[in-house]
Amino acid sequence: MFKYTINHIPKTTPCNRRPGHLLIPQSITIHNTGNSASTAQNERAWLTNPANNRTASYHLVVDEHEVIECLPLNENAWHAGDGSGTASGNRTSIGIEICESGDYSKALANATELAAKLLKQFGWGTERLFRHYDWSGKICPRLMYDAGKWTGWAAFKIKVSENMQMKMDIPKSDLILTDGEHKLLVETLGRFTEQKLLQDAKWKEKAEQGSLTLSELAWLNTIILSRK
C-alpha cells in the first residue's frame, strides 16, 4: 500500500504544462522518468521549477514510497509525444511516470498496484495499458526494454493483471454527507445510469457502499456535463 497525495500544479504553470483540456480517459500510459536520482517529490517539484522550459507534464508519478497526482485525471497532460489531436495519447490517456531512484523494484510494485486500481476504477482490462512507445515510438518505459525485447513490459502487464484479481480494500470515502444527501446522491447516480449519461452502474454501487471519493465525484460531474 502506498501513500497517495494530490498536489496539482497551478493552472498558471509556464510552458502550457497544464493546458486544461477536458480529458475523458480511454487508456493509461506508462513511462519511466529517465532520471535515476529523482523521487516522486522531485518530479512534482520539477513541473513548477522556473528552470524547466519544457512543455511535458504527467498526471501521476510513483516511487518506492508514494504516488503524487500532479494533474487532475479529467484534464490532459503532455506526456505521449504525439501532438494535440483529439485522438492522441496526450488527449485520451492518463500518464503515469515511474521513478528510477531508490528501490526500483518497490516503485515498480507500487506502479502495478496503481495501474490495477485505476483499471478497476474505470472498468477496464489490461488492454487499456499502453507504453509511451505505443504513441510516439520512444523507447519508454526504458527499463522495461532489454536487447530489443519488451520483456519487462510483458511482466508488468502480467503483474497488473494479478493485482486486479486480488481483493482490494474498499477505500474510505472523503465525502462527508448527511443521510439525506447520501440518499439523493445514490438516486441521482442511478438516474444518470438509466439515462446513459454514465455507462457503468458501479458508480451508484460505490455511492451506496459509501466508498465514492470526492475526486471521483468531481470526475463524474465533468463526464456528465460533457455528455448533456
Side-chain angles (χ1 to χ4, degrees), residues 4 20 42 77 79 98 135 153 160 164 191 196 202 216:
Y4 191 103
N42 294 149
H79 62 95
I98 306 174
W135 299 109
W153 174 246
V160 171
M164 292 179 71
R191 186 167 64 254
K196 305 301 183 183
K202 72 178 180 182
E216 288 174 335

Side-chain angles (χ1 to χ4, degrees), residues 175-188 207-208 210:
L175 277 175
I176 308 300
L177 302 173
T178 65
D179 290 344
E181 290 170 338
H182 178 258
K183 180 180 179 181
L184 178 61
L185 176 61
V186 172
E187 291 175 349
T188 301
E208 289 174 331

Side-chain angles (χ1 to χ4, degrees), residues 125-144:
T126 55
E127 73 280 355
R128 299 287 189 114
L129 280 179
F130 289 85
R131 303 161 291 185
H132 186 173
Y133 172 82
D134 294 316
W135 299 109
S136 61
K138 181 178 181 179
I139 301 300
C140 178
R142 65 173 189 156
L143 297 186
M144 299 184 192

